[in-house]
Amino acid sequence: MAKRYSSKAVYELLCRVDGGYTPSAEESRMLSNRRKLDLSGSGISFLPQSVGLLVKLQTLDLSGTPITTLPESIGQLANLQSLSLSDTRITDLPESFGQLANLQSLSLSDTRITDLPESFGQLGKLQWLSLHNSSITALPDSFGRLAGLQWLSLSYTPITALPESFGRLANLQTLYLYNTPIATLPESFGQLANLESLDLSDTQITALPDSFGQLANLEKLDLDSAPLAALPASFGQLAALRELYLNRTKLTELPDCVAKLSSLRALWLGRSGVTRLPAWIGQLPALENLSLSGLTLPSIPRSLALKGLRFRDGGFSSEESGVNLRSVTLTEQDLSVFLQNDPELIRGLYEEDALQPLRECRVIFLGDGASGKSYTIRRFRSGGRRETAAEPYDVSETPGVEILDETVPWEGEDYTLHFWDFGGQQLLHSMHRCFLSEDSCYVVTVKSRETKADERARYWLRNVTAFAPKSPILLFVNCWDNDNGLRVLDESRLKKDFPMIRRGPASRPRRRRTGFSGKSSWSPWWRSPRAPRAAGGRRTAGGRRSGTPSPRRAGAGTT
């Protein structure tokens, strides 16, 4: 039985041959018939010149070794198909490297390679090449002769440009250029007729060549975080394009050429410069996945709203369908309507008779028990009238939450305020958070006789801003007529820490009476130009917004 030699034993034998040893007939046959040599992670610092004796070698793995150079004899490995030099200290390749006529796969990732020899273009059968995270700064003109190249990664390299000959890589299917300082692509780039996937994310690309539209087989294009500000008119010719990533680009609008992308399935625009969506966006026939995360838009176009895609408040994979509305701001529509994914409700936003504003607002009162929430609501609903012995207010304990509606006039229109009066019992505080959301106005009440009024105010203000950071807040300090020792709130610090606190237009600070609104100030805050935005919703046949409860009491609590 023939002796079996490990890769380590083969390497040691080659070193002995370099030292003058003459191998036996059996050893010579083993060397000439060896097909695989795996020295990865072995710690070798050089490759013997006698490696050229491995004439039938097909696979050579030197990855993870401190090797710095390759011998000229490497070119004698005429049958070598796969070579891995990743994570080595190789700085250049010998000129004989181009003699590896059958080489198909080459990994030079994480090496110190700065350039490739001109003979590199002779590797006509090379299909897979990784220069990821290497020190390569330029490609030789002969690079375009790699007619068989299908997969190429130049990501995380300092390369700044591609040679004009690059367009001759007729069989290239996948190209990674992400995280490189490349700013332009050669005009010949459009000749890459078989290119299917192109990653230009985190590059310095500001524009694409006019020939870009000739990439008839391109299916995936990633331009995330590139300073791209426009797309060429030829872009609409990319009939096979299925995935387009434009997150964090400088595009301010989608040009009409994108409307011609009949195969586009996924479009990502998150945190880009886009400020308005075109009316045709929902008419893209294959569109299933759209990310708008972080954008500020006036509205969702009708064509998209009625396309039947599910609106989501969060990310999802490229294989899922839907519209990502995470951190989206709509200036002319209520975002929450879309997130309910109620087709009838969404359709109502675009019907002519539903375009009138709802003129409704939810006003949520929060505060400790007996801080005056119910009293404040009753007094507001009574036009500021103080209670008397003959006509006292009903301010008994609020069991859970009481919801009362009040219609008020403003600029010739009637507005409906939905007062939510939450019980202040400690056990109910965690329940409150289930109802705190944006598009509401919040009223926080504290007692003037509370020794820790500032601390209690902060407690409730933190609860509000944790769940509704953009909603307006009114802070009321309720006083007694015979109260001569009003506790002082640190008004300037509170306004600095909670900038959403609002002051009523007719409420003026008085000496020795600190707070943002006192018992004596009953100006209708809803007349302010900064009145809270009306909460969105759908009107029912009776005119009330669906989901708005009628006045009732429920639960258990105390105010």
Side-chain angles (χ1 to χ4, degrees):
M1 177 181 292
K3 182 180 178 181
R4 302 186 65 179
Y5 290 79
S6 66
S7 291
K8 180 179 180 182
V10 172
Y11 177 78
E12 292 174 347
L13 178 58
L14 293 175
C15 290
R16 290 169 60 196
V17 171
D18 273 11
Y21 172 74
T22 301
S24 65
E26 179 185 346
E27 291 171 332
S28 294
R29 283 194 301 272
M30 181 275 296
L31 292 175
S32 62
N33 290 308
R34 187 78 183 193
R35 296 179 182 275
K36 181 177 181 180
L37 185 61
D38 186 354
L39 297 171
S40 59
S42 63
I44 65 170
S45 58
F46 69 97
L47 194 62
Q49 281 285 348
S50 55
V51 71
L53 297 175
L54 307 177
V55 293
K56 291 186 179 180
L57 193 67
Q58 296 179 356
T59 302
L60 176 57
D61 191 346
L62 300 173
S63 61
T65 64
I67 192 170
T68 58
T69 60
L70 294 177
E72 282 291 335
S73 60
I74 192 78
Q76 299 172 23
L77 303 180
N79 290 296
L80 191 63
Q81 297 177 12
S82 176
L83 173 59
S84 178
L85 295 169
S86 61
D87 197 22
T88 63
R89 299 176 185 177
I90 292 283
T91 57
D92 55 20
L93 299 176
E95 194 62 34
S96 64
F97 199 85
Q99 299 172 22
L100 301 176
N102 288 298
L103 191 63
Q104 298 176 18
S105 174
L106 174 60
S107 177
L108 295 171
S109 60
D110 297 285
T111 63
R112 301 176 184 180
I113 294 281
T114 57
D115 54 22
L116 301 174
E118 275 297 324
S119 64
F120 199 85
Q122 299 172 23
L123 304 177
K125 292 186 178 180
L126 188 64
Q127 299 177 14
W128 191 94
L129 173 60
S130 176
L131 284 157
H132 170 84
N133 202 34
S134 68
S135 301
I136 195 78
T137 57
L139 298 177
D141 288 337
S142 64
F143 198 85
R145 301 209 303 265
L146 300 176
L149 194 62
Q150 299 177 15
W151 192 98
L152 173 62
S153 176
L154 293 166
S155 56
Y156 284 96
T157 65
I159 194 166
T160 57
L162 300 176
E164 194 63 34
S165 64
F166 198 87
R168 299 206 298 265
L169 302 177
N171 288 302
L172 190 64
Q173 298 176 10
T174 302
L175 175 58
Y176 293 103
L177 292 170
Y178 61 89
N179 279 96
T180 63
I182 284 182
T184 59
L185 298 176
E187 192 61 35
S188 65
F189 200 86
Q191 298 172 22
L192 302 176
N194 287 299
L195 191 63
E196 296 177 356
S197 179
L198 174 60
D199 193 336
L200 296 170
S201 60
D202 290 286
T203 60
Q204 298 304 309
I205 295 288
T206 57
L208 300 175
D210 291 336
S211 64
F212 201 84
Q214 299 173 23
L215 302 176
N217 288 302
L218 189 64
E219 296 182 0
K220 180 179 179 180
L221 174 59
D222 192 340
L223 285 157
D224 282 355
S225 299
L228 187 76
L231 296 174
S234 64
F235 199 84
Q237 300 172 22
L238 301 176
L241 192 63
R242 292 171 50 84
E243 297 179 37
L244 177 57
Y245 297 82
L246 296 170
N247 297 308
R248 298 177 297 280
T249 59
K250 293 186 177 181
L251 283 174
T252 57
E253 62 179 3
L254 284 179
D256 289 343
C257 60
V258 176
K260 301 176 183 179
L261 302 178
S262 58
S263 299
L264 191 62
R265 177 188 172 277
L267 175 58
W268 298 70
L269 299 170
R271 305 190 185 284
S272 65
V274 172
T275 57
R276 181 181 295 272
L277 296 178
W280 47 257
I281 191 162
Q283 298 172 8
L284 289 168
L287 188 64
E288 297 178 357
N289 189 321
L290 175 63
S291 177
L292 305 174
S293 62
L295 297 186
T296 297
L297 305 167
S299 61
I300 300 295
R302 179 189 183 98
S303 63
L304 178 60
L306 305 183
K307 190 174 180 64
L309 296 178
R310 182 172 182 81
F311 292 94
R312 302 170 182 264
D313 184 17
F316 45 91
S317 72
S318 59
E319 298 302 318
E320 296 179 279
S321 63
V323 181
N324 182 4
L325 296 179
R326 170 64 61 87
S327 302
V328 168
T329 299
L330 298 180
T331 58
E332 297 177 4
Q333 289 178 326
D334 185 351
L335 183 66
S336 64
V337 174
F338 296 95
L339 294 176
Q340 294 180 53
N341 285 292
D342 183 334
E344 183 182 349
L345 187 60
I346 294 174
R347 191 179 301 110
L349 288 177
Y350 299 90
E351 293 175 356
E352 247 182 65
D353 57 356
L355 294 180
Q356 298 301 319
L358 291 175
R359 301 189 180 92
E360 298 183 13
C361 181
R362 183 168 56 241
V363 187
I364 298 179
F365 278 73
L366 297 171
D368 293 331
S371 63
K373 298 186 296 297
S374 299
Y375 182 91
T376 301
I377 293 173
R378 267 57 174 191
R379 189 168 177 184
F380 182 90
R381 300 184 72 207
S382 300
R385 176 187 63 81
R386 293 173 179 249
E387 67 177 344
T388 63
E391 297 181 275
Y393 292 148
D394 175 17
V395 288
S396 57
E397 295 181 351
T398 302
V401 59
E402 181 180 17
I403 302 174
L404 300 170
D405 292 348
E406 182 71 15
T407 300
V408 293
W410 183 37
E411 296 184 354
E413 302 288 350
D414 286 339
Y415 285 76
T416 301
L417 305 181
H418 305 288
F419 292 105
W420 287 51
D421 181 8
F422 280 98
Q425 186 176 347
Q426 178 68 33
L427 291 174
L428 296 176
H429 291 187
S430 59
M431 180 196 74
H432 295 167
R433 298 167 186 169
C434 298
F435 300 93
L436 306 186
S437 62
E438 299 282 5
D439 295 327
S440 297
C441 175
Y442 291 86
V443 177
V444 173
T445 63
V446 293
K447 297 176 287 189
S448 64
R449 293 179 179 178
E450 169 63 62
T451 58
K452 298 181 178 180
D454 196 87
E455 179 180 325
R456 297 311 299 163
R458 287 180 175 276
Y459 169 80
W460 290 106
L461 290 170
R462 282 194 295 268
N463 271 274
V464 173
T465 54
F467 295 91
K470 298 180 182 179
S471 294
I473 305 172
L474 300 177
L475 179 56
F476 283 4
V477 179
N478 279 301
C479 315
W480 280 256
D481 289 336
N482 61 350
D483 187 358
N484 295 318
L486 178 63
R487 307 299 178 192
V488 176
L489 293 178
D490 190 343
E491 177 176 348
S492 61
R493 179 61 64 86
L494 283 173
K495 291 191 69 176
K496 178 180 178 181
D497 295 344
F498 304 96
M500 297 312 293
I501 292 176
R502 299 286 186 259
R503 180 193 294 278
S507 176
R508 293 183 292 273
R510 301 180 180 185
R511 291 184 179 179
R512 301 182 60 212
R513 294 184 67 81
T514 306
F516 303 109
S517 185
K519 185 175 179 181
S520 60
S521 175
W522 285 101
S523 62
W525 51 266
W526 42 268
R527 292 185 186 275
S528 169
R530 302 190 70 172
R533 182 171 43 150
R538 175 185 54 178
R539 287 189 179 278
T540 62
R544 180 180 301 280
R545 179 168 54 86
S546 64
T548 302
S550 57
R552 65 182 186 279
R553 291 176 178 268
T558 304
T559 60

